[in-house]
Amino acid sequence: MQWKELERTARQIRLRDLEAVYAAGAGHIGGEMSAIDILTALYFHVLKIYPDDAKHPDRDRFVLSKGHTACALYVTLAKRGFFPEDEISTFLQPHSRLNGHPNCNKVPGVETNTGPLGHGLPVAIGIATAGKLSSAAYHTYVMTGDGEMQEGSNWEAIMAASQFQLNNLTLIIDHNRFQQGAALADTNNVAPLRPKLEAFGWEVTEINGNDMAEIVPALQHRGARPHCIVAHTNKGHGISFMQDRVDWHHKVPNKEQYELAVAELSEAL
């Protein structure tokens, strides 16, 4: 029943994300849908956070390195109480603080500005290193896309995390097999990811990243080394005609598609 409630929350977040992208006429809905189950598990079960005191020093840290999926993070943060849920309707509107990429200077709960791919993991390693140096109890999580793992800065950061034994760090790779314009396998195929991370001295867990029963235990794991979760997900998860379709990386549904998607997500609630 614990997982059922988280699954229901994830469906609610998917529906609100869909509504926001449709209303704004822009967004990155495919990668948002693949990541929402993990975001839900983090913010509604795993993270030690304080929505009324977003910068509480004891909070766990989460960095969304794949910053183009900001809308999913905004909806999750709002639902968790960091800011009013009705503000989601301002997504991408003039003067809104809910921009296309997260801004830590404007949005409560956002740890660092992200967007340029390959930056979030190095920043998260800095955060985790600071925690080690200050003997802080917080844990640092960071989510990247699998296409993003083609960036060399990530592999430099992975080496550093192993060197400094950052067992207070969890990397989540949203392995949905697609990136902008093509499948991962047709661009620069970094899969399989597990042996590469293990070769750099990381502990690696592979899971179904759209299954709460696998997501939550993986996120809660603590070991002696930095931990990577290779989360096998589906781009566009939860909406039948979007799932595993590369064109839904940043495509916006038309009215008919929107109504169909709303019906599918609402039926599951």
Side-chain angles (χ1 to χ4, degrees), residues 70 74 97 99 101-108 110-114:
Y74 297 151
R97 60 180 176 172
N99 298 323
H101 294 88
N103 188 326
C104 66
N105 298 308
K106 295 182 178 181
V107 184
V110 173
E111 288 294 338
T112 187
N113 296 14
T114 54

Side-chain angles (χ1 to χ4, degrees), residues 234-254:
N234 300 306
K235 194 137 188 166
H237 186 82
I239 303 173
S240 61
F241 61 89
M242 292 186 187
Q243 187 161 310
D244 297 335
R245 293 285 303 274
V246 68
D247 50 327
W248 285 102
H249 179 80
H250 51 55
K251 184 177 176 180
V252 177
N254 59 31

Side-chain angles (χ1 to χ4, degrees), residues 150-166:
Q150 296 163 351
E151 299 282 353
S153 53
N154 281 327
W155 296 98
E156 294 177 30
I158 285 165
M159 286 189 284
S162 180
Q163 173 69 25
F164 298 117
Q165 301 178 342
L166 298 181

